[in-house]
Amino acid sequence: MSGGGLLVAGTTSDAGKSVVTAGICRWLVRQGVKVAPFKAQNMSLNSFVTREGAEIGRAQAMQAQACRVEPTALMNPVLLKPGGERSSQVVLMGKPVGELSARGYHGGRQRELLGTVLDCLAELRGTYDAVICEGAGSPAEINLRRTDIVNMGIARNARLPVLVVGDIDRGGVFASFFGTVALLSREDQELVAGFLVNKFRGDVSLLEPGLGMLHGLTGRRTYGVLPFRHGLGIDEEDGLRVSLRGTVRESHTAAPVGADVLRVAVCAVPLMSNFTDVDALAAEPGVVVRFVDRPEELADADLVVLPGTRGTVRALEWLRERRLADALVARAAEGRPVLGICGGFQILGEHIEDEVESRAGAVPGLGVLPVRVRFAREKTLTRPAGRALGEPVEGYEIHHGVASISGGEAFLDGCRVGRTWGTHWHGSLESDGFRRAFLREVAAAAGRRFVPAPDTSFAALREEQLDRLGDLIEQHADTDALWRLIESGAPQGLPFIPPGAPA
């Protein structure tokens, strides 16, 4: 017998689908329900490697953690990794299968994947009591409905009830709710059970008349009003949609242990991937993390991080165009700390040979580290573990570049020269002992009286965040009604709201 299910859709991208899905998952698992997350198709540059070596979206890995289960490729069978404005790498069941333009993907390839997606969902529903699915963008993208496999396409095929999330902080939430339903076909509308208001500030009693009118207009109820909470945007899906220039990663609220703070500048390179690597730094009391794109913004930084990117050669060109490349080389020569992760590590090397990602051929790197990189067609997807700075470290690798190292000191399968470190390992800074040892070295090199907190546990902070999401659902949603949806499907007899989807 198949387990229950629910599709969390949104009126827009970034309406809060990922965190609402995680919150529902965490609420359910605390009730003793065996639950799994699912997103049929994800477009993101933030990804993760499962224990079996499959690449999936980081949001689904975070949701699996909310469910207290190990993430697998079944939870995100299709991952699209943008390589620019018009093309993406298609990752199917955790492995890359090629590059496609948006027109090529939506023109036929996407629909071909529906069978795979439905098989994965059926397998999860056969294993778990409930599967909480996340949609993508809006379910009312009328130009894409014919080939949709992630919103109403999967809801219709799997007979999933749909909960539509709207971000009231943006404004226009009532129009967005009504318009979303009214642009769906009669058959799709039958599955839209109701709404969930996200990021509300103020007195809920002032909102209730509007919710009553919305029910009168649509015949659909609102299942909860979630208040605005700072610091819940964990493992964002995409760095393309928003400019990260000047953005400060939210830090742990505790005061610094030492006399000084530590300033970290992250170069906001194009097609930045897995920028969530720096979340573990931002979680440290007294560490301030900013994203920057000008050389003068590196001047007062105690540590500069060159993050991963889906376009190593393009990012290198961008750094040179903005004179950040010169600033990084000068900084390394002065013995001021620089950390390159994945694509950032490759950029710091001497030479890049790329006939795969950019097809640019031979390109000189910044020459800071004794490394030569050749891009292979097969992608490295591993979960390495080891030791560095006297501490155990775990991470994960996602890259086409193969590094040949000819000098320096060994560092997480990469190398170190002076106070410049480079590694392909994502997630290493989540290892608490290693992170503290690394920050002590950075502080000493920078002459800062910064002291890492002795008891910061990134895993515990992540669990606290997930519990806060579960609390939001438990305290501000009608959980009895939500469970009825998950167990029994959408209510019968929901009215049709004209005009419906265009023919």
Side-chain angles (χ1 to χ4, degrees):
M1 179 179 174
S2 290
L6 175 70
L7 176 70
V8 178
T11 56
T12 61
S13 297
D14 299 322
K17 296 184 294 290
S18 294
V19 293
V20 167
T21 299
I24 293 174
C25 288
R26 177 49 62 101
W27 159 65
L28 285 171
V29 81
R30 292 196 308 207
Q31 308 308 307
V33 178
K34 188 180 178 186
V35 60
F38 180 77
K39 186 162 185 174
Q41 170 200 296
N42 195 349
M43 177 173 279
S44 179
L45 288 171
N46 285 333
S47 57
F48 182 76
V49 179
T50 68
R51 293 210 179 277
E52 69 267 27
E55 184 180 9
I56 65 171
R58 268 199 73 95
Q60 279 60 66
M62 177 266 290
Q63 290 160 358
Q65 187 176 347
C67 297
R68 298 181 179 141
V69 298
E70 191 66 34
T72 73
L74 291 171
M75 297 170 184
N76 180 207
V78 182
L79 173 63
L80 305 178
K81 302 194 73 175
E85 295 297 324
R86 298 193 176 185
S87 68
S88 293
Q89 182 180 67
V90 180
V91 179
L92 179 61
M93 296 303 294
K95 304 296 181 184
V97 294
E99 297 273 340
L100 274 180
S101 67
R103 180 178 293 275
Y105 184 67
H106 290 288
R109 178 62 169 149
Q110 184 181 31
R111 191 70 185 174
E112 293 172 10
L113 299 174
L114 179 61
T116 299
V117 162
L118 290 173
D119 287 346
C120 290
L121 178 56
E123 186 170 342
L124 289 174
R125 293 182 78 181
T127 306
Y128 291 88
D129 301 328
V131 178
I132 308 303
C133 308
E134 180 188 342
S138 161
E141 306 288 359
I142 54 179
N143 56 316
L144 302 176
R145 175 62 184 90
R146 183 178 61 84
T147 56
D148 171 44
I149 65 170
V150 65
N151 290 307
M152 300 313 299
I154 192 167
R156 180 102 69 89
N157 277 279
R159 303 307 300 171
L160 292 171
V162 179
L163 185 69
V164 181
V165 178
D167 179 356
I168 198 170
D169 198 48
R170 296 182 175 193
V173 75
F174 290 114
S176 298
F177 281 146
F178 182 87
T180 296
V181 179
L183 280 177
L184 299 177
S185 69
R186 185 180 299 273
E187 294 79 7
D188 286 351
Q189 286 192 25
E190 289 174 356
L191 295 170
V192 178
F195 313 108
L196 187 74
V197 176
N198 193 27
K199 298 185 183 179
F200 179 70
R201 305 173 192 250
D203 185 346
V204 175
S205 67
L206 298 176
L207 189 65
E208 287 171 351
L211 300 178
M213 287 184 269
L214 181 66
H215 184 271
L217 288 166
T218 66
R220 290 159 174 85
R221 58 168 299 176
T222 297
Y223 285 77
V225 177
L226 308 185
F228 187 96
R229 291 286 187 267
H230 286 285
L232 292 181
I234 51 180
D235 290 351
E236 291 95 333
E237 290 201 343
D238 204 345
L240 286 182
R241 290 199 198 101
V242 293
S243 169
L244 289 169
R245 195 198 131 22
T247 298
V248 178
R249 298 302 273 179
E250 293 195 28
S251 300
H252 194 49
T253 54
V257 175
D260 291 340
V261 299
L262 208 63
R263 296 172 177 83
V264 178
V266 184
C267 295
V269 296
L271 298 175
M272 182 164 41
S273 61
N274 288 69
F275 58 83
T276 48
D277 279 335
V278 300
D279 284 353
L281 294 178
E284 281 285 347
V287 176
V288 180
V289 178
R290 297 183 68 244
F291 290 89
V292 303
D293 63 1
R294 293 195 297 245
E296 55 269 28
E297 292 176 304
L298 304 187
D300 67 344
D302 303 308
L303 169 67
V304 173
V305 176
L306 201 51
T309 170
R310 171 82 165 88
T312 299
V313 170
R314 178 176 165 187
L316 181 54
E317 293 170 350
W318 180 88
L319 290 166
R320 286 182 166 132
E321 288 166 3
R322 290 177 174 254
R323 296 182 295 109
L324 280 159
D326 293 338
L328 285 165
V329 171
R331 182 184 179 90
E334 293 165 3
R336 302 181 66 199
V338 178
L339 171 64
I341 302 173
C342 200
F345 167 43
Q346 297 165 4
I347 286 168
L348 292 172
E350 298 169 345
H351 179 84
I352 298 169
E353 188 75 33
D354 181 12
E355 299 293 350
V356 176
E357 193 174 76
S358 68
R359 298 181 176 85
V363 178
L366 297 187
V368 175
L369 293 176
V371 176
R372 298 177 71 85
V373 176
R374 177 186 57 80
F375 275 67
R377 297 207 173 274
E378 186 172 343
K379 183 184 281 191
T380 297
L381 296 167
T382 63
R383 291 271 292 270
R387 293 185 69 84
L389 307 182
E391 298 286 345
V393 194
E394 294 182 358
Y396 56 98
E397 295 186 46
I398 305 169
H399 55 91
H400 285 279
V402 178
S404 298
I405 301 168
S406 58
E409 299 175 50
F411 175 74
L412 299 179
D413 293 339
C415 68
R416 169 187 183 173
V417 173
R419 297 219 166 85
T420 299
W421 299 264
T423 178
H424 274 132
W425 291 25
H426 294 290
S428 64
L429 294 167
E430 295 180 20
S431 297
D432 298 326
F434 166 73
R435 182 181 65 253
R436 287 192 276 269
F438 178 71
L439 290 175
R440 280 193 290 270
E441 285 216 16
V442 169
R448 296 285 185 192
R449 292 173 299 166
F450 169 84
V451 178
D455 55 355
T456 300
S457 166
F458 185 75
L461 289 171
R462 173 54 55 86
E463 277 294 303
E464 287 175 17
Q465 282 187 306
L466 293 172
D467 276 332
R468 289 174 66 199
L469 293 178
D471 292 344
L472 276 180
I473 298 299
E474 190 168 327
Q475 296 168 11
H476 300 282
D478 186 338
T479 52
D480 289 340
L482 270 181
W483 177 246
R484 286 195 296 273
L485 271 188
I486 293 166
E487 194 174 36
S488 305
Q492 296 297 305
L494 293 169
F496 172 70
I497 309 302

